[in-house]
Amino acid sequence: MRQLCKGNVAIVKGAILAGCRAYYGYPITPASEIAEAAALYMPQVGGTFLQAESEVAAINMVYGAAAAGARVMTASSGPGVSLMQEGISYCAGAELPCVIVDVVRGGPGLGNIAPEQSDYFAMVKGGGHGNYRNFVLAPASVQEMAELTMLAFELADKYRNPVIVMADGFIGQMMEPLDLEDREITLPEKPWAVKGTPQTRANLISSIFLEPDQLEAHQRKLEAKYQRAQQVETRHELYECDDAEVLLVGYGITSRVLRSAVEAARRNGLKAGLFRPITLWPFPSKELAQAAAKVEKVLVVELSNGQMVEDVRLAVNGRVPVEFFGRTGGNVPSVEEVNIELTQRLGVLA
Amino acid sequence: MPTELSEEVVKEAVEQHEELGFEVIHEKSPVFYDRFERKSDLQGQTHYCPGCGHGVAHKLIAEALADLGLQDKTIFVSPVGCSVFAYYYFDVGNVQLAHGRAPAGATAIKRTCPDKIVISYQGDGDLAAIGTAEIIHAANRGEKITVFFVNNAVYGMTGGQMAPTTLIGQKSTTSPFGRRPSNEGYPLHMAELIATLEAPVYVERVALSDNKNIMKARRAVRKALELQRDGVGFSFVEILSPCPTIWAKDPVEARKWVAEKMIPVFPLNVFRDKKPEALTDTAPPIRPVREVLELGTKSTGADVTPHHAHHFKEFTVKVAGFGGQGVLLLGQLLTEMGMREGLEVSWLPSYGPEMRSGSANCHVTLSRERIGSPLISHPDVLVALNEISLRKFASQVAPGGFILYNAERLPADFTLPQARIVCLPASEIADKLGSIKATNMVMLGALLEETECLLPATALNVLRDKIKKVAMMEVNDQAVAAGRDFIDHYVRVGAVTQPDGFAG
Ligand SMILES: Cc1ncc(C[n+]2csc(CCOP(=O)(O)OP(=O)(O)O)c2C)c(N)n1
Ligand code: SF4
């Protein structure tokens, strides 16, 4: 049955339905409702909620809980996510499954609390030190806030890797109908975890590999799983792409604006389509290249000065001109603005 | 263990131990691995320097774990520092954590495995510098873990830089002229600091300076672990520990330095040894997930079936006013109503500090199809609860749209936009009904009556479910009715307070 729910709250509902019973976090706008919802729900379902002393502590608590085999999560935004980067790198290095939500706000520095998508590089390209990848999922609705959080836990355990749910201030703060079912889930066995039992006594959770050959072998192992994920874990959504002459590309809240922009453009006789990456890493490059094969132009719209556009350009590989339109600071382009950009850029093309 | 100690020293130690009534066992503790694989060529030895206090501390811990029968239950968290490789020695579950964060990680491990023994083993750089926040807060929460804090007054692993515990005047590679309080402050007394907190149950400082003190250390280590085993609370043992390599002393001199230089600055003491009071706070009761997450909540009122044919494909409303006027709530109610009438809906608020004192607004979209942008640049309806909102947003209203303004009349200098405006003194009406808080409900009634976007019956159902305050229920219902009446009587009969501005 549908309930009206805030995006940030939907994250916690999804997490609990995915069997997560541990939340460690530190408040920050516009992600605080996630911590608040976890504080409200977790103890009532037999889980743990702990407000950490900082995001640094929070991510290391996540590391500890994951090391002990728990499905565990944290959430933050902007400065808080920056503070977590060391810990995320450790989690990736020690192959600890965990879910981190970044409700992106304006930066750099304290920036502001309005929505941006300027953490793309930090989340998708790493951000912490060393050779590792985060899985990054980009929800575009309240329903997806819950569903992609559930998926995040699955992927985290499947690949023993951190998974980021990268939302933005708007998706986090908005309310939409949420339709969830309580379901039986079987949590995966984690024979590698350290649980203080005779069976797990020999286990070690560590990201240290002192010998160059050892560390290289470890990184190759990580890389192999990343390669595997790139083959099978990409997700995307197409809208009106079949006969599109121009392809809009955007994720999260931006994709919502672009969907309306496609409709508006089509009302004006311009055949526009929308490609929405759902996984930002692995990036749906192949699918994007396919969708872009028949169009005359690609327009990437982001709440940044151009971050995802680099991956779009790599995917399209020069076959189609890729234009970029970005707004920042908390400005979300209106449908009209996008359409003006669209006609102007097409004008340039003509 | 470092094996460089002369036979004499060993003999003397054995005698002293036996004098103190301890049985001296020359075997390696079963809690240590048989072979130390850290150094492939020297598998009988640790990686620690000869005379290093870490080796002794490890031994005391291993011994205690073995004696207390805790090996299978123990999770040992090693830090970043010379003891980073503790997991090469302790045959227990091992987790290695980032520099300074062991208490945070240990916190979550313990909460995941509450009946296990969780040890956080840390150096002074790790615990007293980069990890100060983590240790203070883990202690203050009374995490039921044991922390062994090895204070050697320097950073060993990185080659002898200054630590927070470096003595005044002590030279290090980053205090080459000796630690100067004017530049680097004073040695940090962690045991004393921890003992100022309420939660810790046991805090002691011991020293690996001579055998007598080592025996005291042995007892402290054991006691700390027993307290954890018994689930009593947070235990903390600071261990003053020689680092011959960085101090450039031989092992014997180094021990002497602990006794002569460190102990006067870091006095040995039991700073806390208390039985904790039984805490009386209780966790909330555990309930089924369905219930907690409200997955199956039905509206208590009769459900309004979506047989009502909505006259729009998409209908957008912007509600704006002062924070505290119920702007966001009004938007949420509309959204909830739309959802119950089977529509796709979205509600997008302005958020953050601007809401605290200033203005608030929200966007509501009701649609028969999947909603694209939840951001509305040209709402069909603007509900302006104050003048600022009217002035700010009136021009955005879609041509042919409608503005509902909370006032008797428009401001004199206000220029009419391309939209029809109805002024209604909603605050006054609500006030007369008994609560100015129902202003938004008067607006809701008027909005429903004027636009017929959703059914008034749905509004009453939603109000019934969402507004829990009994006192407000009746007022709210009356307010909605009053809003509808106003439109019926004053507007429908042509008494629009302002001329119809619609020019489209
Ligand atoms: C974030 C971070 N900063 C710096 C370091 C480098 N580092 C490793 S160990 C260490 C100091 C350890 O000193 P201490 O805790 O006193 O332990 P000891 O080696 O003396 O036993 C430092 C600064 C690191 N590993 N991580
Ligand atoms: S440097 Fe100091 S602390 Fe590190 S192993 Fe050597 S003696 Fe021990």
Side-chain angles (χ1 to χ4, degrees):
Chain A
M1 145 139 200
R2 296 200 305 172
Q3 56 173 301
L4 194 62
C5 186
K6 210 174 216 203
N8 280 342
V9 176
I11 288 212
V12 181
K13 296 195 177 195
I16 287 173
L17 292 179
C20 169
R21 292 292 182 274
Y23 185 103
Y24 298 90
Y26 191 84
I28 186 168
T29 312
S32 293
E33 294 86 358
I34 306 179
E36 289 164 0
L40 181 66
Y41 300 143
M42 281 299 180
Q44 296 190 71
V45 296
T48 300
F49 168 83
L50 185 60
Q51 180 165 326
E53 55 271 28
S54 68
E55 291 85 353
V56 174
I59 191 68
N60 283 284
M61 289 172 180
V62 166
Y63 181 104
R71 274 199 166 170
V72 58
M73 72 176 296
T74 187
S76 190
S77 180
V81 171
S82 292
L83 279 182
M84 289 185 184
Q85 291 286 19
E86 181 201 30
I88 296 174
S89 163
Y90 268 77
C91 288
E95 295 193 87
L96 290 176
C98 55
V99 173
I100 299 127
V101 182
D102 179 5
V103 184
V104 184
R105 60 185 246 170
L110 204 50
N112 66 18
I113 56 165
E116 269 195 3
Q117 296 179 320
S118 48
D119 288 1
Y120 185 91
F121 284 157
M123 295 297 108
V124 175
K125 304 294 178 184
H129 54 289
N131 270 321
Y132 76 97
R133 291 289 190 178
N134 296 320
F135 288 69
V136 185
L137 310 179
S141 66
V142 170
Q143 183 70 23
E144 278 193 353
M145 286 291 250
E147 282 175 4
L148 292 186
T149 300
M150 293 190 247
L151 174 65
F153 281 102
E154 299 292 326
L155 290 174
D157 280 338
K158 182 169 167 192
Y159 291 93
R160 281 189 63 183
N161 203 77
V163 179
I164 313 283
V165 176
M166 185 170 154
D168 58 73
F170 272 175
I171 296 287
Q173 295 294 324
M174 65 193 257
M175 287 180 108
E176 284 182 332
L178 174 67
D179 200 351
L180 294 174
E181 286 292 324
D182 190 9
R183 43 178 199 151
E184 284 292 317
I185 48 159
T186 352
L187 292 177
E189 290 292 323
K190 298 185 181 177
W192 47 263
V194 175
K195 301 176 184 174
T197 57
Q199 300 77 26
T200 64
R201 195 175 98 191
N203 290 349
L204 165 67
I205 300 297
S206 165
S207 58
I208 306 174
F209 297 86
L210 267 197
E211 300 303 325
D213 286 346
Q214 269 186 350
L215 183 55
E216 192 175 47
H218 176 61
Q219 291 185 16
R220 288 212 172 111
K221 179 182 157 207
L222 297 183
E223 189 51 32
K225 80 183 177 189
Y226 297 144
Q227 298 277 350
R228 223 166 44 244
Q230 277 173 307
Q231 297 305 313
V232 296
E233 300 298 353
T234 57
R235 285 166 173 80
H236 70 285
E237 188 190 10
L238 298 170
Y239 180 58
E240 302 276 25
C241 284
D242 287 346
D243 62 344
E245 289 160 0
V246 55
L247 187 66
L248 291 164
V249 184
Y251 66 95
I253 185 69
T254 312
S255 71
R256 299 284 296 264
V257 178
L258 297 185
R259 192 182 166 94
S260 295
V262 165
E263 284 165 6
R266 282 184 177 262
R267 279 198 297 275
N268 295 333
L270 173 62
K271 285 183 181 160
L274 167 64
F275 186 93
R276 170 170 83 97
I278 296 173
T279 51
L280 298 180
W281 197 93
F283 193 74
S285 304
K286 246 186 280 165
E287 297 84 347
L288 176 57
Q290 239 167 42
K294 292 169 288 176
V295 304
E296 284 166 43
K297 189 158 257 187
V298 172
L299 176 62
V300 179
V301 183
E302 293 178 63
L303 306 185
S304 82
N305 284 331
Q307 300 194 12
M308 179 183 69
V309 65
E310 294 189 0
D311 284 332
V312 175
R313 289 204 167 108
L314 280 174
V316 169
N317 200 15
R319 284 188 291 269
V320 188
V322 174
E323 298 260 343
F324 174 75
F325 173 51
R327 291 298 308 270
T328 62
N331 290 309
V332 177
S334 65
V335 174
E336 292 73 19
E337 236 179 310
V338 172
N339 277 297
I340 289 167
E341 288 295 322
L342 203 54
T343 21
Q344 278 176 358
R345 314 267 173 151
L346 287 175
V348 172
L349 181 79
Chain B
M1 292 307 102
T3 50
E4 320 287 307
L5 298 178
S6 70
E7 268 177 41
E8 255 165 75
V9 173
V10 174
K11 199 164 153 248
E12 187 202 354
V14 169
E15 278 167 13
Q16 276 191 13
H17 282 58
E18 283 168 349
E19 260 169 49
L20 287 161
F22 290 105
E23 196 189 343
V24 176
I25 300 165
H26 296 275
E27 281 163 26
K28 189 149 74 175
S29 162
V31 169
F32 285 133
Y33 288 114
D34 286 343
R35 287 158 68 82
F36 298 156
E37 298 194 342
R38 161 77 182 85
K39 290 183 176 172
S40 47
D41 44 344
L42 287 170
Q43 295 192 347
Q45 282 186 21
T46 70
H47 73 289
Y48 296 115
C49 309
C52 173
H54 280 303
V56 182
H58 281 25
K59 203 169 167 183
L60 299 179
I61 294 167
E63 220 178 55
L65 289 175
D67 291 354
L68 299 173
L70 298 175
Q71 182 170 19
D72 275 341
K73 291 183 77 175
T74 297
I75 301 171
F76 190 102
V77 180
S78 38
V80 175
C82 279
S83 49
V84 64
F85 298 119
Y87 56 79
Y88 280 100
Y89 314 124
F90 287 97
D91 182 3
V92 297
N94 279 288
V95 176
Q96 196 286 320
L97 255 136
H99 195 20
R101 318 304 173 202
T107 291
I109 295 171
K110 183 74 183 189
R111 284 169 182 248
T112 310
C113 314
D115 57 341
K116 306 301 177 188
I117 300 294
V118 180
I119 295 172
S120 176
Y121 183 104
Q122 303 179 258
D124 44 45
D126 196 79
L127 181 140
I130 194 167
T132 323
E134 282 77 5
I135 188 61
I136 295 286
H137 286 277
N140 191 51
R141 289 189 301 263
E143 300 295 342
K144 295 185 171 69
I145 61 173
T146 301
V147 177
F148 295 119
F149 168 43
V150 176
N151 175 359
N152 58 14
V154 287
Y155 284 16
M157 185 183 221
T158 41
Q161 296 82 12
M162 194 193 77
T165 46
T166 294
L167 307 184
I168 291 166
Q170 186 184 341
K171 285 183 181 167
S172 75
T173 58
T174 50
S175 56
F177 309 106
R179 181 178 191 161
R180 290 181 294 130
S182 65
N183 199 49
E184 289 104 9
Y186 297 87
L188 206 48
H189 294 78
M190 288 310 296
E192 287 87 337
L193 206 64
I194 300 286
T196 62
L197 306 172
E198 231 163 284
V201 293
Y202 177 55
V203 181
E204 179 166 0
R205 182 184 288 120
V206 296
L208 305 179
S209 53
D210 53 70
N211 294 315
K212 206 164 157 184
N213 274 332
I214 291 175
M215 283 305 112
K216 280 192 184 161
R218 187 178 188 238
R219 281 194 293 271
V221 164
R222 187 172 298 242
K223 176 160 182 177
L225 290 170
E226 282 168 351
L227 286 168
Q228 184 177 177
R229 178 199 60 195
D230 300 340
V232 180
F234 180 86
S235 51
F236 182 93
V237 181
E238 175 169 344
I239 304 170
L240 303 183
S241 173
C243 172
T245 304
I246 301 296
W247 298 352
K249 299 190 180 341
D250 70 36
V252 178
E253 275 176 48
R255 282 183 167 203
K256 242 167 91 182
W257 198 82
V258 172
E260 287 168 10
K261 301 289 180 191
M262 287 187 81
I263 293 179
V265 178
F266 300 107
L268 306 189
N269 202 353
V270 179
F271 296 95
R272 172 71 59 83
D273 188 3
K274 67 160 191 185
K275 284 262 170 295
E277 313 88 71
L279 300 179
T280 49
D281 58 346
T282 48
I286 293 179
R287 298 189 292 139
V289 167
R290 267 191 85 70
E291 228 174 76
V292 174
L293 303 186
E294 297 170 313
L295 300 185
T297 32
K298 284 250 172 219
S299 64
T300 50
D303 253 11
V304 178
T305 37
H307 56 70
H308 161 61
H310 298 97
H311 61 71
F312 50 81
K313 187 171 152 238
E314 187 162 282
F315 189 77
T316 56
V317 183
K318 182 162 191 159
V319 188
F322 290 124
Q325 278 187 311
V327 170
L328 301 184
L329 178 66
L330 173 50
Q332 280 179 15
L333 291 173
L334 276 173
T335 315
E336 176 85 30
M337 288 169 60
M339 184 182 77
R340 292 204 191 173
E341 291 191 16
L343 294 168
E344 294 302 323
V345 294
S346 72
W347 173 87
L348 181 72
S350 60
Y351 61 86
E354 61 172 308
M355 283 170 52
R356 307 268 143 75
S357 51
S359 55
N361 70 73
C362 62
H363 298 188
V364 175
T365 304
L366 310 171
S367 175
R368 282 192 278 163
E369 287 167 14
R370 176 167 158 183
I371 296 170
S373 177
L375 250 118
I376 303 164
S377 15
H378 301 296
D380 295 316
V381 176
L382 169 67
V383 179
L385 284 152
N386 64 5
E387 189 182 327
I388 299 171
S389 306
L390 177 76
R391 289 186 188 275
K392 199 166 166 192
F393 300 123
S395 62
Q396 294 179 358
V397 175
F402 164 65
I403 298 173
L404 198 56
Y405 175 46
N406 173 27
E408 197 101 43
R409 61 183 62 83
L410 287 175
D413 63 337
F414 183 76
T415 40
L416 285 176
Q418 307 253 99
R420 212 156 55 80
I421 302 185
V422 168
C423 297
L424 88 162
S427 297
E428 276 167 44
I429 296 172
D431 202 20
K432 274 187 206 140
L433 289 172
S435 173
I436 193 151
K437 281 197 184 142
T439 303
N440 52 355
M441 299 300 148
V442 178
M443 297 299 266
L444 175 63
L447 173 73
L448 295 179
E449 192 63 20
E450 176 62 27
T451 67
E452 295 178 343
C453 59
L454 297 164
L455 298 175
T458 318
L460 297 185
N461 279 325
V462 169
L463 282 174
R464 207 54 88 248
D465 294 343
K466 294 287 162 187
I467 313 289
K468 304 284 184 219
K469 261 197 209 147
V470 185
M472 281 307 286
M473 274 185 192
E474 206 173 318
V475 181
N476 280 337
D477 287 1
Q478 289 170 358
V480 172
R484 294 180 64 195
D485 276 358
F486 185 90
I487 297 292
D488 264 356
H489 289 100
Y490 298 93
V491 182
R492 290 262 166 83
V493 295
V496 183
T497 39
Q498 288 292 325
D500 188 333
F502 178 49

